[in-house]
Every structure is written in structure tokens, then in C-alpha cells.
Amino acid sequence: MKAVVVHGAKDLRVDEVPAAVPEPDGVLVRVVYGGICGSDLHYAADGRNGAYPVEEPLTLGHEVVGVVADVGQSASGAPPIGTRVAIHPAVPCAPAGAAEPTGLHLTPGGTYLGSASTRPHTQGGFAELLPVGVGQLRVLPDNLPLRRAVLAEPLAVALHGLARLGDRVRGARVLVSGAGPIGSLAVTGLNHLGARTVVAADLQEYPLQVAKSVGATEIVRLSDGETCEPGSFDVVVEAAGAAASLASALAAVRPGGAVLQLGMLPGGGVPVPMASLIAKEIALFGSQRFDTELDAAIALLAAEPALDAVVSHEFDLGSTAEAFACAADSSRSAKTILRLSADPDS
Ligand SMILES: [Zn+2]
């Protein structure tokens, strides 16, 4: 079978690898779509993602949907062959004696599809066939096309971050700083949670148009270093993962407001003026991946056909290099997806 494999910095290949088979207690998924994420771009360009260098060939991809293709002999509770599914990329490792069923995304250990955080690396889903555990499958509602369902993972990331804000969202005036795929998905999540106003700000016009089509009340194109209406927002969602965007988030939030850090900040020191954290008593929330929010994300995707607009480009495996170049250019793309096999919906 074919798989998209990173061998090092600027060394991304479509390799022929041995066809995957299911574990005896697992299933085999024929992958239909895979969304290209910022972490995939980092692995491909730099041969590492933050703290995690690629030390052996790594199949990328953790935003994947497909169809059940085979079921292991001893698998119980698996949906029948042909069922359309999204895949939870995490297999958490519960600490000994843990009673708490949620919050496992914060426990050390466990695996995440397409990640060099473990040794051996956890191979990902940009492959024609992917073996996963039964517990990782989420059966898709009939009215949710696979091409929209591929947004389930990044939407779950956004919903988990918004859940960190608790009851601060309902009725709030919110700024989303950075209107890339995660920012645009956060716009929809904020509307769903009852925000009063959702303003999306970005340096580029293209992502702002996407944010508008998925429900932003207002869009603002900023120039470098500019802050959107300083001191006026109850909540600011930083979704660009850039120091300058965090600095302007801290400036844009009102006294007593909250900032959610949803974008992945660069490793190491980040130059951000932090004094306003004290002067304005800002609550600053971090957010790591997600836990159970994948189910809420799938339900929201089924209810919101407008989210189709977040999937801006689709490439087949033969055009993987073009797909990665497209995904890396936020001035002309939102979520770029790979089509790994035929879509049964079309
Ligand atoms: Zn992702």
C-alpha cells in the first residue's frame, strides 16, 4: 500500500510499504481522507515537531476518516465492514488506579497517530490502510459526508479549548485571533456555545472569508503588530500560534477577561509583554489536544453543512508535494486534505 512518509527535514515521500493488517482485537480502516495539520507541515519541513525529532521513517496524519475494511478475529463490538468512521487519534495510557474516565489526554504515555513523541514512533493515517483499536472508531451519522467529517479532529481541538473557558463564552463578545482552520472552527464552536459576537482577525484576506462563511459576526484584516479594538473583548481565542498574536490577544482583552491559547506556540522563549496579565487580571488558559470532545465535534459537523467551507483543497496521493505546499500557504488555503482512496459518498 502507499503511505506518506517523512524521512527527515524536507524529505517527504510517498512510499510503497507492506499492506497493513488488523490486530486480532482491532480493525483495519481503508482511509478515505486525511487532513494536513500544522504538525504534519512541521515534520515535513523541519524533520521535527516541537520537542519531537523524526528518528525513523514516520507516516504522517492524525486527522483521518474512512471505511471499516476488515475486522480482527477476536475483535468485539466492531462496526460491520463498510461502516463510515472517524478515528480518535489518541490511545491514552491510564495511570495505575485512575478512576477518572476523562482527562487522559494530559497523562504521560499513550500514543497519538502520526507522532514522533513515542519510540518507536506511532505511524499515522496518511496511508491507504490503517490498523486501529475498536475503541478509536466513531461511527459517522448518515447525514455527515466523509469530506466534512475529516474536520472532526481539529474541531475537537477547538471545542476542548472552548470548554476550558467554562461559562465565560455564553453572551460574550469574543475575538478569534488567527482565522486558519482551527480559528474558523472555533468561530463555529463559539456561536454554538452562545457567544454574543464573534470577531475574527487575521493578516490575510482568504482565511477571513472562510471565517465569515462559517459564522463570524465581523471580520477584521489587521496589519503586522496591530491590535483589534484594544481592551474591548470579554474573551480572546489565540488561534495563530504566534507570539505577536498572543501579544495582541493580551492587548485586546478587557480587564477581567480571559485569553485562550489554542494555537501551538513555538518552543523555547516567546517574547510577549506579560505585564497586562497582572494589570488587567487576565485569566490565561492553555489547551492540549482533546479527550472526549470528538463526539461533540461529529455531532456539530453533522448539524453545520456550512463547515464544508473549511475544507478548501483536495489532492490525491500523486500530488502530495503540491498538497503540502498548498496547506503551508495560509493566504490561499484553509484545510487542505489528501484523498487516499475512493470516497463512497460520491
Ligand atoms: Zn491536527
Side-chain angles (χ1 to χ4, degrees):
M1 66 173 188
K2 289 188 165 60
V4 177
V5 182
V6 62
H7 291 261
K10 296 189 175 57
D11 188 4
L12 185 70
R13 307 178 204 168
V14 178
D15 286 344
E16 194 68 39
V17 301
V21 294
E23 294 289 327
D25 61 349
V27 300
L28 190 67
V29 171
R30 173 169 70 78
V31 179
V32 176
Y33 293 115
I36 300 175
C37 184
S39 59
D40 299 313
L41 296 173
H42 283 299
Y43 281 126
D46 311 330
R48 64 186 303 135
N49 180 35
Y52 307 124
V54 172
E55 293 177 336
E56 58 182 325
L58 173 68
T59 300
L60 295 177
H62 56 269
E63 302 176 5
V64 280
V65 293
V67 175
V68 175
D70 196 4
V71 177
Q73 314 104 5
S74 61
S76 71
I81 289 172
T83 306
R84 302 171 326 121
V85 290
I87 297 165
H88 198 306
V91 179
C93 176
E100 193 59 38
T102 59
L104 292 179
H105 61 295
L106 294 178
T107 60
T111 60
Y112 210 84
L113 285 181
S115 170
S117 65
T118 53
R119 289 196 182 65
H121 296 343
T122 305
Q123 301 299 323
F126 291 167
E128 290 173 293
L129 297 168
L130 177 66
V132 296
V134 175
Q136 290 177 270
L137 300 180
R138 298 294 183 275
V139 175
L140 297 175
D142 288 341
N143 65 338
L144 175 56
L146 285 162
R147 201 173 185 279
R148 192 187 318 145
V150 72
L151 297 169
E153 195 267 1
L155 180 57
V157 168
L159 293 180
H160 176 71
L162 298 178
R164 299 271 296 137
L165 293 162
D167 58 9
R168 291 169 176 270
V169 172
R170 183 159 295 281
R173 177 173 150 78
V174 184
L175 173 67
V176 175
S177 180
I182 288 278
S184 286
L185 292 169
V187 165
T188 299
L190 286 159
N191 282 329
H192 178 70
L193 292 169
R196 176 167 49 93
T197 315
V198 182
V199 179
D202 202 287
L203 303 175
Q204 311 271 8
E205 187 58 29
Y206 184 91
L208 287 173
Q209 292 305 327
V210 175
K212 191 171 184 184
S213 65
V214 299
T217 329
E218 197 185 316
I219 53 174
V220 180
R221 184 159 181 191
L222 299 173
S223 50
D224 239 340
E226 191 185 353
T227 291
C228 184
E229 301 167 57
S232 72
F233 293 93
D234 303 308
V235 169
V236 181
V237 176
E238 197 296 307
S245 172
L246 176 55
S248 92
L250 293 168
V253 74
R254 67 161 168 82
V259 173
L260 169 67
Q261 186 60 47
L262 194 56
M264 178 61 83
L265 288 168
V270 178
V272 177
M274 296 299 284
S276 62
L277 200 66
I278 291 164
K280 293 201 284 188
E281 279 197 355
I282 298 166
L284 179 59
F285 291 90
S287 181
Q288 160 75 352
R289 294 176 179 166
F290 57 93
D291 185 1
T292 59
E293 290 87 351
L294 194 62
D295 302 297
I298 289 168
L300 188 49
L301 285 162
E304 291 285 351
L307 286 169
D308 283 339
V310 179
V311 178
S312 65
H313 294 78
E314 176 184 327
F315 294 86
D316 61 23
L317 274 179
S319 306
T320 295
E322 291 93 318
F324 273 67
C326 178
D329 184 354
S330 63
S331 72
R332 65 182 173 104
S333 71
K335 179 60 75 180
T336 299
I337 64 172
L338 287 171
R339 188 182 61 254
L340 293 116
S341 66
D343 182 347
D345 294 337
S346 58

